[in-house]
């Protein structure tokens, strides 16, 4: 059976893929369906959902269109989640490969640094970084990556340690290939599968961390974020709970979708072969 | 002067608080265009010697002279340049190549690294190398795992000769091949040696193969040289205990002896 057909026969993977597809559609269509500033006043304040069909999910305390905010928030979540995960995977893979391949002092130093980063809870690290450097979308992504690259680094290193003993690496040395070329062209690509298998968990965690930072008011102030929406709604939690519930549900479904689809891909393709 | 001279080579491994000498005070030499075989029971240090000679691992003691230079003194870029002259063929040709590689890439690497041919010239060189080892040029775009074991070992030999080496180390290079393919590969090696005066350090546990290809043989036992000399003379009349045991354990040789008597 082809990986795609196996994927389609796994119900949770399909559910995840559908959730993810909806999220991506929301993120891509946001500027088309809701052009202009999603933070602009669109109607009366605190309009409940399903009252006015031009504002299906109602409005918040300032009269902003909740549905527009939700769509634009999907953009932020996805952008930050993907950027942070990509940065964490790239940095982790490079550090892990260098440490594992070079061995000796280089390995010692790099792994000490990895340990140091791992000891600090990743959320605190992101919090501290954003507080000091300020918050734009890019900075938030870097802040999140700062606390997540250590996992991929360890996995990459372990994989490289076993690959480096293989004959073909000795063969590359015998033909006079430069050690850095061997590390990054011959070894790294073969160490990637188990590292990539971590990406769904990392993306999901990054989306949650971004929401948490925004909730604390440390997200990009010029962007709508789901975390920021939940924080906004907190002030009127009793009278207008939907303002927190709607972005909350969106967040849960997104994280679930990313996780299920990612695991589905890992399970049904050969990606996990590298682990066995 | 010899092409390769190995003097008092020693390599120790530490296991727990025990130290074992995988290679213990080993000396031998190889001349240009000559085949020296290394034989011995499993664990006697044959592969360790191969890896030491190729500078894949470093010895604890001893000296290696290659093409008149102190080979152990070479490092970094100078060592990488000199590696063109000293190549290797491994036992398992599948493990010897990057699983993602194609035949063309495997042969392109040494040509590029050592600046042997320009980018535009390389495809023609690759085709010529493939033909040199008895393959056809249309194999070039194939993935390494898409060709047969015998073809793969020919590609490994093509890669080894791509840089015009003076010495090739072959560690059980024909052991994984079935008998008919083995004969063809041995013929290819002999042919290359005749035409290009390449010397071989030929590691094998098969005394029949050694008799067919090697000029001289060194028998190892537990990291030490037990016996050495002319390949046919040593195999036909071994003096050392380990030599007698190896000959006794070789079925094909016994048969030829019986036939002769
Ligand atoms: N990296 C290593 N660490 C510890 N001991 C090693 C290492 N490599 C080899 N040895 C030991 O050194 C000795 C010689 O090993 P070597 O691989 O050279 O034997 P060999 O003659 O090639 O055997 P075989 O015919 O089985 O290939 C063995 O006892 C082996 O266990
Ligand atoms: Mg061996």
């Amino acid at each position: 059976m082809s990986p795609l057909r196996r994927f389609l026969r796994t119900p949770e993977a399909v559910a995840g893929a559908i959730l993810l597809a909806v999220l991506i559609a929301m993120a891509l269509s946001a500027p088309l369906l809701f052009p202009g500033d999603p933070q602009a006043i669109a109607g009366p304040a605190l309009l409940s959902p399903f009252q006015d069909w031009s504002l299906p999910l109602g409005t918040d305390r300032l009269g902003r269109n909740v549905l527009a905010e939700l769509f634009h928030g999907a953009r932020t979540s996805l952008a930050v989640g993907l950027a942070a995960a990509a940065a964490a995977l790239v940095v982790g893979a490079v550090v892990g490969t260098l440490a594992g391949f070079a061995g000796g002092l280089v390995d010692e130093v790099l792994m000490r640094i990895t340990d140091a980063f791992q000891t600090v809870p990743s959320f605190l690290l992101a919090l501290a970084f954003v507080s000091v450097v300020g918050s734009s979308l890019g900075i938030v992504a870097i802040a999140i990556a700062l606390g997540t690259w250590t996992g991929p680094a360890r996995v990459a290193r372990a994989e490289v340690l076993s690959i480096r003993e293989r004959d073909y690496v000795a063969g590359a040395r015998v033909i006079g290939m430069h050690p850095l070329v061997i590390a990054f062209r011959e070894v790294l690509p073969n160490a990637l599968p188990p590292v990539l298998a971590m990406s769904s968990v990392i993306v999901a965690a990054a989306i949650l961390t971004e929401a948490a930072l925004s909730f604390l008011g440390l997200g990009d102030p010029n962007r709508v974020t789901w975390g920021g929406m939940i924080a906004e709604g907190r002030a009127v939690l009793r009278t207008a709970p939907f303002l927190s519930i709607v972005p909350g549900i969106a967040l849960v479904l997104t994280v679930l979708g990313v996780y299920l689809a990612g695991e589905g891909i890992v399970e049904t393709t050969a990606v996990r072969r590298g682990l066995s | 002067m010899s092409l390769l001279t190995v003097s008092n080579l020693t390599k120790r491994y530490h296991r727990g608080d025990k130290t074992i000498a995988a290679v213990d005070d080993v000396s031998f030499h190889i001349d240009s265009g000559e085949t020296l075989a290394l034989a011995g029971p499993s664990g006697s240090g044959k592969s360790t010697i191969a890896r030491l000679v190729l500078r894949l691992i470093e010895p604890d003691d001893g000296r290696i002279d290659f093409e008149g230079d102190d080979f152990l003194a070479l490092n970094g870029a100078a060592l990488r340049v000199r590696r063109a002259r000293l190549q290797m063929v491994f036992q398992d040709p599948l493990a010897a190549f990057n699983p993602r590689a194609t035949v063309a890439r495997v042969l392109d690497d040494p040509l590029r690294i050592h600046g042997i041919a320009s980018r535009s010239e390389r495809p023609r060189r690759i085709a010529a190398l493939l033909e040199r080892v008895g393959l056809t040029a249309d194999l070039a775009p194939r993935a390494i795992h898409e060709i047969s074991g015998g073809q793969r070992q020919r590609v490994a030999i093509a890669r080894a000769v791509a840089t015009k080496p003076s010495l090739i180390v072959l560690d059980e290079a024909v052991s994984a091949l079935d008998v008919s393919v083995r004969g063809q590969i041995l013929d290819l090696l002999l042919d290359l040696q005749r035409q290009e005066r390449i010397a071989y350090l030929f590691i094998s546990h098969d005394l029949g193969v050694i008799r067919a290809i090697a000029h001289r043989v060194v028998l190892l036992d537990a990291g030490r040289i037990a016996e050495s000399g002319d390949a046919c003379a040593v195999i036909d009349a071994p003096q050392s205990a380990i030599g007698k045991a190896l000959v006794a354990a070789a079925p094909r040789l016994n048969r030829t002896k019986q036939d002769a008597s």
Side-chain angles (χ1 to χ4, degrees), chain A residues 19-266:
Chain A
L19 286 172
L20 206 55
V22 170
L23 176 78
I24 292 169
M26 280 171 74
L28 292 179
S29 65
L32 304 171
L33 294 178
F34 304 99
D37 185 3
Q39 298 188 333
I41 311 256
L46 290 175
L47 182 69
S48 296
F50 316 121
Q51 303 293 315
D52 178 347
W53 287 111
S54 67
L55 299 166
L57 287 180
T59 59
D60 68 2
R61 278 198 301 164
L62 298 174
R64 295 179 291 208
N65 182 352
V66 172
L67 190 63
E69 288 190 290
L70 201 65
F71 270 63
H72 282 271
R75 252 174 121 71
T76 316
S77 280
L78 206 61
V80 173
L82 289 179
L89 288 171
V90 169
V91 172
V94 169
V95 171
T97 300
L98 281 177
F101 191 75
L105 190 64
V106 175
D107 185 23
E108 190 79 13
V109 170
L110 287 176
M111 289 328 282
R112 284 286 144 81
I113 295 173
T114 310
D115 283 341
F117 271 88
Q118 214 159 23
T119 339
V120 186
S122 57
F123 186 66
L124 280 187
L125 209 57
L127 206 64
F129 188 75
V130 173
S131 314
V132 172
V133 183
S135 44
S136 69
L137 222 52
I139 302 275
V140 171
I142 292 173
I144 295 170
L146 222 48
T148 31
W149 63 272
T150 53
R154 283 185 184 287
V155 172
R157 176 175 176 271
E159 195 70 8
V160 167
L161 281 180
S162 86
I163 291 176
R164 137 186 124 150
E165 301 302 325
R166 297 208 193 140
D167 278 354
Y168 83 84
V169 175
R173 288 176 67 193
V174 167
I175 61 162
M177 199 178 280
H178 193 280
L180 282 176
V181 181
I182 300 178
F184 288 108
R185 206 189 74 161
E186 303 287 319
V187 175
L188 176 62
N190 292 313
L192 273 185
V195 178
L196 290 179
M198 305 173 78
S199 50
S200 66
V201 175
I202 290 180
V203 171
I207 288 175
L208 276 179
T209 308
E210 187 279 330
L213 286 174
S214 302
F215 180 81
L216 295 178
L218 291 167
D220 187 335
N222 303 316
R223 297 272 186 155
V224 187
T225 64
W226 291 346
M229 290 170 72
I230 296 173
E232 268 284 313
R234 204 173 40 152
V236 288
L237 198 55
R238 294 197 176 200
T239 49
F242 67 91
L243 284 179
S244 300
I245 291 172
V246 167
I249 289 175
L251 194 60
V252 169
L253 291 180
T254 297
V255 169
L256 202 63
V258 169
Y259 180 76
L260 289 178
E263 287 297 288
I265 292 173
V266 171

Side-chain angles (χ1 to χ4, degrees), chain A residues 165-179 181 185-187 189-193, chain B residues 51 54-56 80 83 86-88 90 92 95-100 105 109-110 112-114 159:
Chain A
E165 301 302 325
R166 297 208 193 140
D167 278 354
Y168 83 84
V169 175
R173 288 176 67 193
V174 167
I175 61 162
M177 199 178 280
H178 193 280
V181 181
R185 206 189 74 161
E186 303 287 319
V187 175
N190 292 313
L192 273 185
Chain B
R51 297 173 75 82
L54 289 157
R55 289 288 302 275
L56 291 169
R80 288 199 296 277
R83 283 187 183 287
L86 176 48
Q87 285 296 305
M88 167 155 208
F90 293 86
D92 177 0
F97 297 120
N98 188 332
R100 294 159 180 270
R105 206 191 98 183
D109 282 342
R112 189 191 66 246
I113 290 167
H114 294 286
R159 167 146 111 160

Side-chain angles (χ1 to χ4, degrees), chain B residues 106-149:
Chain B
V106 154
L107 297 178
D108 191 71
D109 282 342
L111 298 176
R112 189 191 66 246
I113 290 167
H114 294 286
I116 290 167
S118 67
R119 174 185 284 271
S120 57
E121 212 183 314
R122 269 183 252 141
R124 233 180 318 122
R125 280 297 187 103
I126 290 169
L129 277 171
L130 285 172
E131 274 154 28
R132 184 71 194 80
V133 297
L135 297 170
T136 50
D138 60 358
L139 226 54
R142 300 263 282 276
I144 280 296
H145 60 83
E146 286 173 346
I147 60 178
S148 75

